[in-house]
Amino acid sequence: MSTANDKLAWIDEEIKALKEQGLYINIRTIQSPQGAWITVDGKKVLNFCSNNYLGLANHPKLREAAHKAIEEWGVGPAAVRTIAGTMSLHLELERKLAQFKGCEDAISFQSGFKANLATIPALVGEGDVIFSDELNHASIIDGCRLSRARIVRYNHCDPADLEAKIRQEQGNYRRGIIITDGVFSMDGDIAPLPQIVEIAEKYNLMTMVDDAHGEGVLGRGGRGIVDHFGLHGRVDVEIGTLSKAFGVVGGYVAGKKKIVEWLRQRGRPFLFSSAMTPADVAACIAAVDILESSTELVDKLWENTRYFKSEMRRLGFDIGQSVTPITPVMLGEAPLAQEFSRRLFDNGVFAMAIGYPTVPKGKARIRVMISAVHSREDLDRGLEAFAKVGKELGVI
Ligand SMILES: *Cc1c(COP(=O)(O)O)cnc(C)c1O
């Protein structure tokens, strides 16, 4: 019970305000492994929510690799790598990631979020400037704040505005970096990386792209946005996550040898937090091996994406401007999106409503995440549910 002088009473008030504004997050409970179908709150539903783009989160080869690694290496790394030494397993993953991405070297972190927190403050600090896309991911924003560099936001995916902002800053900083998401996770659009790189070269700025939703998706065999645009060697830092298409958990930086060496000396989450577990690392190695050996899963992901999107358009839905498997179904007001999501769930489809402040007011949507694990029948089941609920609610 909270009383008038309860020092934690403010939490009750904040929570109450969140609930009143419809911003309180109710987290669903999953009682099965990830896959096309999952059990959510006791009900088997078609999964349109996860970032499991290639279906690797419960892939037999990854499971087997994790089991083997536990037998061979145990369950924990036991300390940070700089103090207690690093297992050769982690170095093997980093070598494989660098090779896969076509970079000189790579360094792994505990998550993509940590990779951003490690990298940005290591590259820029007081007296420096960061040019940051206004819609960059929260972990980039936090990394920028931690760095104490000045943050200049440029208009979303707008190279002309970026260049204008850089010109305004000329002579006012020591070092500068341009940072952008590769794929923007709410709209599925991608950064104009070739123009950004040209501008960076013109003004002698460092470049960093967060490829969390691009790897395993864009480029040859899922090699990511730099490969997609053929910009190898021209982007200084690629941030990656091992929790989306790779299906496990962890993060990494791929880039020039010099930068990776610096991060091993100065990336704080590397220096002060223990490494990924052997089972995670081994499963990630298996994931990279699968992607190196065949483009089958990536091809299937795109085939599913093309099919689902063209059918959704045929049904009359507005699915925005996405050029990736992320499919926003634009609905307008948040209550409508929430009601749509509830009815989809009643019809056996798990797809989340996303509203303000994650997306602008009036741009609420259902975000469908397509995966290579979906069969044609699965997609048809999903389309059927969208058509039914869309008609019920007068959207189509
Ligand atoms: C998901 C995501 C992250 C965080 O990755 P984790 O490995 O889950 O911490 C970072 N950046 C972007 C752009 C993302 O979409």
Side-chain angles (χ1 to χ4, degrees), residues 51 53 109-116 135-140 180-185 210-214 239-244 248-252 367:
N51 298 320
Y53 286 113
F109 295 92
Q110 304 84 354
S111 70
F113 203 113
K114 290 256 191 89
N116 276 319
L135 295 188
N136 275 346
H137 189 262
S139 56
I140 296 178
T180 183
D181 270 25
V183 175
F184 291 85
S185 61
D210 183 337
D211 204 19
H213 282 278
I239 300 288
T241 174
L242 299 163
S243 70
K244 291 183 172 124
V248 193
V249 76
Y252 67 94
R367 189 180 64 155

Side-chain angles (χ1 to χ4, degrees), residues 322-334:
S322 170
V323 292
T324 63
I326 296 167
T327 308
V329 182
M330 308 305 290
L331 294 168
E333 295 311 314

Side-chain angles (χ1 to χ4, degrees), residues 112-174:
F113 203 113
K114 290 256 191 89
N116 276 319
L117 295 192
T119 305
I120 301 168
L123 296 179
V124 286
E126 261 181 274
D128 298 332
V129 64
I130 299 167
F131 299 98
S132 175
D133 187 291
E134 63 179 340
L135 295 188
N136 275 346
H137 189 262
S139 56
I140 296 178
I141 295 170
D142 287 5
C144 291
R145 286 178 182 156
L146 276 176
S147 77
R148 299 175 203 223
R150 208 148 48 76
I151 302 159
V152 176
R153 298 188 343 153
Y154 61 89
N155 294 342
H156 176 54
C157 286
D158 184 346
D161 186 56
L162 168 63
E163 184 160 11
K165 297 262 159 73
I166 294 170
R167 281 173 176 277
Q168 282 168 20
E169 296 297 323
Q170 285 294 285
N172 287 336
Y173 59 85
R174 179 181 61 159

